[in-house]
Amino acid sequence: MSEVALTLAERRERQIAHQDARATHLASREALLSPRRSNEELRAIAEAAQQRLADTDTDTVLAWVGQEFGYRTAVACSMADAVLPAVVARHVPWVDTLFLETGYHFAETIGTRDAVEASMRLTIVDVKPRLSVAEQDAEFGERLYERDPTLCCAMRKVEPLHETLQGYEVWITGVRRDEGPTRADTPFISWDDKNGLVKINPLAAWTFDDLLAYAADHDIIVNPLVNDGYPSIGCATCTRRVAPGEDPRAGRWAGLDKTECGLHS
């Protein structure tokens, strides 16, 4: 039965059951966590898997992730869509899904985040910077994203994510090779020396059309901005619509000599 067809009481009952299931999982999560292995051990695991799984597919990689890392797994999700955490949750139900709460998001992105948390078998973790927007404005001046976007991204994305990732052994991202020249050689598996853990890009070989088709076929939430000219969605202050035929990431930091926030470089 579709969500639209449900009565208010039925929707409320489903929501309560969903919340109870999440709470039950979280209550037992500690028993499912193995001690975090050393960086040396994790690097060796990544390097061996790079060769063994280089030519495999998304499901095979994620099945290995579930077996090898369990709940020391984190998924990074920008909430442009929920395809990535959905495919991961098939192998690691209630997986921690990290959302970088920069304070500059589109309202549609926050709405997508809330809808995902309310309906999917995921555990949303809001990753917040040390300073609120108001505190950053007071210390560094307003509109830092225009004057020094690299510093702004470092404080609001890179540093808080790095700190959060220290409790995990692997992080999973939605980086795809078709997103632009800087991502064309993205591997399925690598060692992330900057953050000190294994990095998995299970959708690396997918195209944007593959992503949308999967979302449609499996009724997965997609940010409404995706269908409004935003194939890549970041902070509202630094993202514009993309014209037909443009690079999918052309709307990010448009007019600036900047193509990445620093999370993947």
Side-chain angles (χ1 to χ4, degrees), residues 139-150:
E139 186 169 338
F140 294 90
E142 295 182 1
R143 306 172 80 90
L144 180 64
Y145 50 82
E146 291 182 346
R147 294 179 287 104
D148 193 339
T150 298

Side-chain angles (χ1 to χ4, degrees), residues 146-158:
E146 291 182 346
R147 294 179 287 104
D148 193 339
T150 298
L151 177 59
C152 189
C153 284
M155 291 193 296
R156 309 207 73 73
K157 292 183 176 182
V158 179

